[in-house]
Amino acid sequence: MKRTKKIIATFLTFIAVLSISGYSYNRSSETVIGVPKELCLLQSLSSTEVPLARTKPTLVSKHTFATIVSFGDTLCNKPLFNAAYDKELGIYDFSSMFKYVEKYFENSTINIGNCESPMAGAEVGYSGFPIFNAPEHLAIDLKELGVDIMTTSNNHCLDKGFSGLSSTLDFLDDAEISHVGTSRTEEEQNTILFKDLNGIKTAFIAYTYGTNGFSAPEGKEFCVNLIDEDLILEQINKAKAEGAELIVASMHWGVEYQTTESATQDRLAEFLIKNDVKIILGSHPHVLQPMKMLKVETDDGEEKEGLVIFSQGNFFSNQRDENTRNTAIFNIMVKKNCETGEVSIESATYVPIYVNIKEPGAKDRYELLDLNEIIRSYENDEGIWSEDMYRLAITERERCIRLIGPEILKSNLREVSYILGDPSFLFKK
């Protein structure tokens, strides 16, 4: 009897949650449409242990959700890749950097970052700033982390010429990581990268302000997507014509080491949102810049809204200047109303991260520290982190929050979170 009462109480709690989050309860249908498997378990429970009705209860989704996890520049400086070299195995292994953050890539719908360092191959010679050539094993380790897409249009993409640009895409292909922003052929440039995010047809596009003075070879101008409004508009219109329900634009822009966006970034963000881009992921300044929901008005008076993260900072690097070691892992939740087809941004949250750099020769010299987890662990007396590391975590988390600004979280999701504690299981891959 106690077990039955507990099941009934649990069932009623889920029904309340589903009412808040856009799911409806339907006894007349035998089908389940777009409902996560965790919720479908309620069917078997109710039919075998809680005989509420002769027909099986069914949960019918009015909405579908997807989460996009995004991060900034992978800046593979020479000291960093030297520290990643495993002498015994004779390979470069970057995976130890990610051990504290890999959990944030597990339950998202898709993960995307910026490939700041080209991978031209060992025969060219690995190198760091100012002419980058990262070990190609980086692509394998990013794939193992869970990365699905890397943007490749940035100011370093031609550091090793067109051949280096092409090799980078080849190595990403070998690692089964999709890419956008640079191309080996004109046909590749004209092909929009689409991903199905839980039933949301999503287009990914990417552009850079320049290439550090390295020009594309004559006849191969297609190889880099530069920030050109005509090109951007052409690709946006192509994406929409091919059925895009959501457009995500990665922009390599802004002023290096400046923690606020420039007037050019503001103008381009407005241009993108006016033309139906809903998510803008910024990179290049190597420091964090604000995250905002922007509302813009088109020439005919229509109001449109989009999310812009002006700069996501360095995901990892050997940079040590002020603010360059502060970064974040961003989680953007989108919702599609299955009745109207409208796609909206439901939340944009982030985990403050710090690039910890130890002394040369130290084990796991480069680590991405989860600042929230360090603070939680220390305050719960788990004995893992020192007081000095705890104080560092507090200081650097405050810095991240100050640079990025508040998280964006709509009220209905707050209610779901309050009831469930953690609603993330609703949005698993």
Side-chain angles (χ1 to χ4, degrees), residues 56-83:
K56 294 180 181 179
T58 304
L59 301 168
V60 181
S61 172
K62 291 181 180 177
H63 309 305
T64 184
F65 294 87
T67 51
I68 301 169
V69 164
S70 181
F71 57 89
D73 299 336
T74 58
L75 202 59
C76 204
N77 303 97
K78 188 174 182 178
L80 191 147
F81 68 69
N82 281 343

Side-chain angles (χ1 to χ4, degrees), residues 2 92 104 191 223 331 343 361 401 412:
K2 288 182 179 180
Y92 291 86
Y104 297 112
T191 302
C223 71
N331 188 304
V343 176
I401 294 170
N412 64 320

Side-chain angles (χ1 to χ4, degrees), residues 33 61-64 198 335-342:
I33 304 172
S61 172
K62 291 181 180 177
H63 309 305
T64 184
N198 293 342
K335 179 183 79 173
K336 176 183 175 180
N337 184 316
C338 297
E339 295 176 345
T340 66
E342 180 184 2

Side-chain angles (χ1 to χ4, degrees), residues 321-387:
D321 292 336
E322 186 178 13
N323 302 316
T324 58
R325 295 165 70 177
N326 298 94
T327 186
I329 297 171
F330 295 85
N331 188 304
I332 304 161
M333 184 188 298
V334 295
K335 179 183 79 173
K336 176 183 175 180
N337 184 316
C338 297
E339 295 176 345
T340 66
E342 180 184 2
V343 176
S344 58
I345 309 298
E346 289 298 292
S347 68
T349 60
Y350 58 88
V351 181
I353 302 296
Y354 184 73
V355 183
N356 189 40
I357 305 176
K358 302 176 185 176
E359 293 300 315
K363 185 179 184 298
D364 298 342
R365 187 183 178 199
Y366 294 85
E367 298 174 321
L368 305 185
L369 299 182
D370 180 349
L371 301 179
N372 287 341
E373 178 59 21
I374 292 173
I375 293 168
R376 185 209 62 79
S377 175
Y378 185 85
E379 291 180 349
N380 282 279
D381 295 323
E382 294 180 358
I384 299 172
W385 302 98
S386 67
E387 182 178 354

Side-chain angles (χ1 to χ4, degrees), residues 241-308:
E242 294 177 8
E245 298 171 296
L246 172 66
I247 301 176
V248 179
S250 294
M251 303 295 289
H252 207 71
W253 60 1
V255 180
E256 287 185 310
Y257 314 114
Q258 182 173 297
T259 57
T260 55
E261 72 273 20
S262 67
T264 299
Q265 285 171 282
D266 281 326
R267 182 184 60 78
L268 285 169
E270 184 174 330
F271 165 78
L272 290 165
I273 294 170
K274 278 184 177 180
N275 287 286
D276 298 313
V277 172
K278 285 195 179 293
I279 298 174
I280 303 169
L281 305 174
S283 59
H284 175 62
H286 303 303
V287 294
L288 292 166
Q289 290 182 346
M291 174 175 71
K292 299 177 182 179
M293 287 295 293
L294 295 183
K295 291 184 177 180
V296 302
E297 188 174 306
T298 64
D299 294 339
D300 57 7
E302 182 183 358
E303 189 178 83
K304 296 184 178 182
E305 184 178 57
L307 171 73
V308 55

Side-chain angles (χ1 to χ4, degrees), residues 104-122:
Y104 297 112
F105 295 84
E106 292 174 354
N107 295 328
S108 54
T109 311
I110 202 159
N111 303 314
I112 180 172
N114 176 47
C115 183
E116 181 82 0
S117 304
M119 295 172 282

